[in-house]
């Protein structure tokens, strides 16, 4: 990708969390990424309700990411926390209740939405906030590099939830359209040939490619997720068509005036 603003992400790989970095070993054997290394829980004599709630969520992420929902038991969670299963029931009502907590609080969060959007947008000369979709997708990759254990959790549950009997089936089946509704609420600068139907197809392609790359990244410790995503971006968003619509930096330092004529909303 020819966007200069993206080069620094490749040059700052030493700042990534250890579990997200590419293995520099000279061995060429495929090794699964250890997304959950070093997870321990400090035992405290007294915890606030909020502290215990967070600790339970952290333990659930770890156990479900390894065993899946079907393979996980509440005894596994209580063992991880160093409490009795009876004590765990003071904070949750059932195994399904624990899964709902994980789904609602751990992956698709306001913090994730803010991270993905904040540096994908720019305020134009008239004060309009306009977003650039290729940079938004890059931000998803950057954010997920910081949370490999949650990406593993998502991947395991997404596979399990293909079964209609899984309690997360509706959540994952509906997730694509829920996120699309959020995307539609944002003001995107898009090339003239991209109408709403085309944008939906691009959104579907980009998110499907992201999911596929993340599966490979979790399974192969030698893979560089960020480099792979930037390379694929050239195919999904060809520079010949997307020049000027890729990153806010293309407008931040210029006197571009009002950007609304470049947006999908203005053309509809």
């Amino acid at each position: 990708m020819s966007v200069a603003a993206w080069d620094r992400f490749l040059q700052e790989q030493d700042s990534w969390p250890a579990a997200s970095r590419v293995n520099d070993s000279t061995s060429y054997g495929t090794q699964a990424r250890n997304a959950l290394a070093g997870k321990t829980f400090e035992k405290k004599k007294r915890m606030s309700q909020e502290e215990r709630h967070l600790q339970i969520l952290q333990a659930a992420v770890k156990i479900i990411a390894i065993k899946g929902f079907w393979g996980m038991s509440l005894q596994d969670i209580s063992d991880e926390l160093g409490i009795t299963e009876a004590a765990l029931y003071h904070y949750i009502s059932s195994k399904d209740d624990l899964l709902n907590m994980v789904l609602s609080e751990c992956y698709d969060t306001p913090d994730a939405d803010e991270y993905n959007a904040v540096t994908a947008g720019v305020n134009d000369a008239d004060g309009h906030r306009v977003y650039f979709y290729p940079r938004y997708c890059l931000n998803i990759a950057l954010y997920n590099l910081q949370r490999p254990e949650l990406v593993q959790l998502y991947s395991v549950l997404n596979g399990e939830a293909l079964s209609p009997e899984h309690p997360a089936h509706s959540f994952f089946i509906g997730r694509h359209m829920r996120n699309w509704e959020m995307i539609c609420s944002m003001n995107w600068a898009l090339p003239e040939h991209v109408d709403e139907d085309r944008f939906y197809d691009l959104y579907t392609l980009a998110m499907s490619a992201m999911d596929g790359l993340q599966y490979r990244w979790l399974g192969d410790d030698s893979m560089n997720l960020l480099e792979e995503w930037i390379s694929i971006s050239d195919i999904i968003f060809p520079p010949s068509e997307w020049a000027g619509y890729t990153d806010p930096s293309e407008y931040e330092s210029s006197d571009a005036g009002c950007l609304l004529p470049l947006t999908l909303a203005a053309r509809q």
Side-chain angles (χ1 to χ4, degrees), residues 79-115:
D79 288 346
E80 182 70 23
L81 296 172
I83 62 176
T84 65
E85 187 172 347
L88 183 60
Y89 277 108
H90 286 98
Y91 303 94
I92 62 170
S93 60
S94 65
K95 186 176 174 180
D96 283 6
D97 181 38
L98 179 62
L99 178 63
N100 289 332
M101 284 168 51
V102 169
L103 292 175
S104 63
E105 299 181 40
C106 290
Y107 198 80
D108 294 326
T109 65
D111 285 346
D113 294 339
E114 181 179 3
Y115 183 97

Side-chain angles (χ1 to χ4, degrees), residues 126-142:
D126 294 331
H128 304 117
R129 188 71 177 171
V130 177
Y131 295 92
F132 294 76
Y133 191 62
R135 175 56 187 272
Y136 181 88
C137 293
L138 175 71
N139 286 351
I140 294 175
L142 290 169

Side-chain angles (χ1 to χ4, degrees), residues 21-263:
R21 296 188 200 129
V22 172
N23 187 349
D24 291 329
S25 170
T26 56
S27 171
Y28 292 96
T30 299
Q31 179 181 353
R33 187 172 305 278
N34 188 352
L36 297 157
K39 289 286 184 180
T40 59
F41 298 96
E42 295 181 6
K43 295 182 180 180
K44 296 182 179 179
K45 292 183 178 180
R46 293 185 180 180
M47 278 189 170
S48 68
Q49 187 84 6
E50 293 78 13
E51 288 173 329
R52 181 63 82 184
H53 181 84
L54 177 59
Q55 193 186 49
I56 291 170
L57 282 176
Q58 290 172 331
V61 167
K62 177 178 179 179
I63 299 300
I64 296 174
I66 295 171
K67 295 188 173 185
F69 175 77
W70 295 130
M72 176 269 293
S73 69
L74 292 183
Q75 187 63 57
D76 290 327
I77 304 299
S78 59
D79 288 346
E80 182 70 23
L81 296 172
I83 62 176
T84 65
E85 187 172 347
L88 183 60
Y89 277 108
H90 286 98
Y91 303 94
I92 62 170
S93 60
S94 65
K95 186 176 174 180
D96 283 6
D97 181 38
L98 179 62
L99 178 63
N100 289 332
M101 284 168 51
V102 169
L103 292 175
S104 63
E105 299 181 40
C106 290
Y107 198 80
D108 294 326
T109 65
D111 285 346
D113 294 339
E114 181 179 3
Y115 183 97
N116 297 335
V118 66
T119 56
V122 64
N123 292 326
D124 68 12
D126 294 331
H128 304 117
R129 188 71 177 171
V130 177
Y131 295 92
F132 294 76
Y133 191 62
R135 175 56 187 272
Y136 181 88
C137 293
L138 175 71
N139 286 351
I140 294 175
L142 290 169
Y143 192 70
N144 285 346
L145 278 168
Q146 302 172 49
R147 52 176 196 166
E149 70 285 352
L150 284 170
V151 177
Q152 180 170 323
L153 171 84
Y154 166 84
S155 300
V156 169
L157 285 176
N158 194 23
E160 278 192 339
L162 292 173
S163 168
E165 288 75 34
H166 196 284
H169 178 74
S170 296
F171 174 90
F172 281 99
I173 292 299
R175 182 175 181 272
H176 186 72
M177 291 308 298
R178 287 197 306 275
N179 287 347
W180 171 243
E181 290 175 1
M182 181 187 68
I183 292 294
C184 285
S185 70
M186 300 168 69
N187 210 18
W188 299 100
L190 299 170
E192 289 187 6
H193 71 281
V194 179
D195 59 14
E196 184 171 345
D197 289 341
R198 183 66 171 170
F199 187 32
Y200 175 77
D201 291 341
L202 282 166
Y203 157 76
T204 300
L205 175 61
M207 295 303 98
S208 299
M210 184 75 73
D211 285 347
L213 285 180
Q214 288 177 165
Y215 275 117
R216 285 182 51 215
W217 174 60
L218 290 170
D220 183 355
D221 193 52
S222 68
M223 178 184 165
N224 187 315
L225 177 62
L226 184 57
E227 287 183 357
E228 291 278 357
W229 178 255
I230 289 177
S231 179
I232 282 179
S233 290
D234 272 348
I235 300 172
I236 301 176
F237 311 109
S240 60
E241 300 177 8
W242 285 79
Y245 297 90
T246 303
D247 190 273
S249 63
E250 296 172 296
Y251 290 95
E252 284 173 344
S253 59
S254 65
D255 185 15
C258 182
L259 297 179
L260 279 186
L262 303 179
T263 65

